[in-house]
């Protein structure tokens, strides 16, 4: 086992304990527990077994139930991950019992105090989940069970996860009613945990990037060190508000600089790379669910694609790899596709952001895109909302933030010809500096 792999396992073990401690904290608030542990918590109320022991039993049951959803090929290719679930389940159950015993003193009586303990528990659990995702070396059996189902049924990972959590909560309520004649262990805290943990994970995940050098080899970035050392030419990335003329600016620059433009060409290339239908890509390329919903039902989508089968995740990774390959192959212009982020570690990239005032954007939509004027403003808001959600979800960065770009161009007050000249001057200067 290499040192980097060992470090990933170490981080995963730490995240496992933090998760258990966070769950114990939430449970001690006496306002219900998280959806994933609701069944084990309720079961511990009417049996002599502890919450941790029930956690081990339920997780081992998940490991067994995964088999009908896996083909021999799946099991063979994923055997290490599958078998790891057993020791992980044992450790997780033990960590929960240790945490519950360590917090035996915590028993808030006032409702405000319970809410405070619940919120602290949500933050602790989020810290653990984000660290687990960063380690990216193993999976809890609940997550792996969802993965097996979504892969077999060819359904979105996030929606299957949401259905899985709801099923556990409903089962907890049924067990409570049958064995205790009332609903216990499932309360407002269960809902709060379900709503808050995902968004908190998303907010704190960028801070874990500081661990990248510790758990990854030096060449594990978006572009390898050897690739960055080979100068294939300058790349211009154009991010743009809808109706700002970003694509047309790209066309003008392509003619002026005699380099290739990649925009709609990504559709066919991504279809070939991801195996998706081109029509699906056209309709869904930047139409992901809202930030809040996405975080709730897919808090672990920052894992590698092999761990999450969300179609929009697959598409994003496919397009990102195409962006990297194009940048390493030739000088070019790339419109959209989060290219400024994907190529963030390359020094030979000119990052342009095009924006416009509302009136100019509406005029362009009507005159050039053929959109009825009464619908233009609403369409601009819709498309820009999708682009913002897509960019900020996948990059963790603010869309349109001036510090991310070399040039911000207001195409409402600057005509595209002048904008083209500005970018060309920047391109020529960078090219001259590279030659020197």
């Amino acid at each position: 086992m290499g040192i980097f792999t060992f470090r990933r396992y170490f981080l995963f073990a730490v995240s496992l304990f933090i998760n258990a401690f966070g769950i114990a904290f939430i449970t001690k608030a006496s306002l219900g527990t998280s959806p994933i542990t609701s069944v084990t918590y309720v079961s511990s109320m009417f049996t002599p077994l502890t919450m941790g022991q029930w956690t081990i039993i339920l997780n081992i049951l998940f490991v067994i139930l995964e088999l009908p959803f896996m083909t021999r090929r799946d099991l063979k290719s994923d055997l290490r991950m599958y078998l790891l679930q057993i020791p992980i389940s044992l450790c997780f159950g033990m960590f929960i019992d240790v945490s519950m015993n360590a917090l035996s003193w915590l028993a808030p009586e006032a409702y405000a105090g319970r809410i405070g303990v619940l919120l602290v528990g949500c933050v602790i659990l989020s810290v653990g989940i984000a660290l687990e995702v960063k380690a990216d070396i193993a999976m809890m059996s609940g997550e792996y069970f969802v993965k097996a189902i979504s892969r077999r049924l060819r359904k979105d990972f996030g929606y299957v996860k949401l259905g899985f959590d709801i099923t556990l909560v409903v089962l907890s309520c049924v067990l409570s009613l049958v064995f205790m004649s009332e609903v216990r262990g499932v309360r407002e805290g269960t809902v709060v945990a379900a709503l808050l943990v995902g968004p908190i994970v998303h907010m704190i995940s960028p801070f874990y990037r500081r661990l990248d050098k510790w758990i990854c080899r030096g060449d594990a970035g978006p572009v390898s060190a050897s690739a960055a050392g080979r100068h294939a030419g300058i790349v211009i990335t154009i991010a743009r508000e809808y109706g700002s003329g970003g694509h047309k600016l790209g066309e003008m620059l392509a003619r002026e600089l005699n380099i290739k433009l990649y925009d709609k060409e990504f559709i066919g290339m991504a279809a070939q790379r991801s195996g998706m239908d081109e029509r699906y890509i056209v309709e869904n390329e930047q139409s992901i669910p809202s930030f809040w919903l996405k975080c709730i039902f897919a808090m672990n989508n920052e894992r590698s694609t092999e761990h999450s089968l969300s179609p929009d995740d697959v598409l994003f990774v496919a397009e990102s790899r195409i962006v990297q390959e194009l940048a390493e192959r030739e000088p070019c212009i790339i419109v959209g596709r989060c290219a400024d982020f994907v190529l963030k570690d390359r020094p030979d990239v000119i990052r342009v952001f095009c924006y416009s005032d509302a009136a100019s954007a509406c005029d362009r939509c009507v005159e050039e895109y053929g959109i009825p004027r009464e619908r233009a403003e609403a369409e601009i808001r819709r498309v820009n909302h999708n682009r913002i959600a897509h960019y900020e979800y996948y990059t963790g960065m603010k869309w349109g933030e001036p510090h991310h770009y070399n040039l911000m161009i207001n195409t409402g007050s600057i005509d595209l010809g002048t904008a083209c000249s500005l970018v060309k001057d920047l391109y020529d200067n960078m090219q001259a500096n590279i030659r020197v």
Side-chain angles (χ1 to χ4, degrees), residues 70-83:
M70 300 177 69
T71 64
R72 289 185 178 181
R73 182 176 180 181
D74 292 336
L75 187 59
K76 184 177 180 180
S77 63
D78 220 11
L79 186 60
R80 179 191 66 85
M81 192 75 71
Y82 178 79
L83 294 177

Side-chain angles (χ1 to χ4, degrees), residues 246-265:
H247 176 81
K248 192 168 184 179
L249 174 62
E251 290 180 335
M252 296 172 68
L253 285 167
R255 290 194 298 268
E256 189 74 21
L257 300 173
N258 194 29
I259 58 178
K260 289 185 178 180
L261 169 68
Y262 292 97
D263 188 355
K264 296 178 181 179
E265 293 80 4

Side-chain angles (χ1 to χ4, degrees), residues 77 83 90 99 152 179 189 213 227 244 268 282-283 393 420 427 436:
S77 63
L83 294 177
L90 296 174
S99 299
R152 184 61 178 268
F179 291 98
K213 292 183 179 179
S244 65
V282 171
E283 295 175 353
Y393 177 78
C420 181
Y427 182 91
V436 172

Side-chain angles (χ1 to χ4, degrees), residues 293-350:
L293 178 61
K294 189 74 177 179
C295 286
I296 290 172
F297 68 47
M299 65 178 66
N300 291 327
N301 271 3
E302 292 190 37
R303 293 181 181 276
S304 58
T305 307
E306 304 91 82
H307 291 178
S308 170
L309 302 181
S310 171
D312 41 75
D313 294 341
V314 174
L315 180 57
F316 173 75
V317 172
E319 291 192 336
S320 297
R321 288 173 177 167
I322 294 171
V323 167
Q324 292 174 342
E325 291 169 4
L326 292 174
E328 293 174 13
R329 189 174 70 196
E330 62 183 349
C332 59
I333 302 163
I334 301 174
V335 178
R337 279 76 192 183
C338 302
D340 57 282
F341 172 80
V342 175
L343 303 176
K344 61 182 172 57
D345 294 328
R346 294 184 65 101
D348 52 347
V349 177
I350 297 174

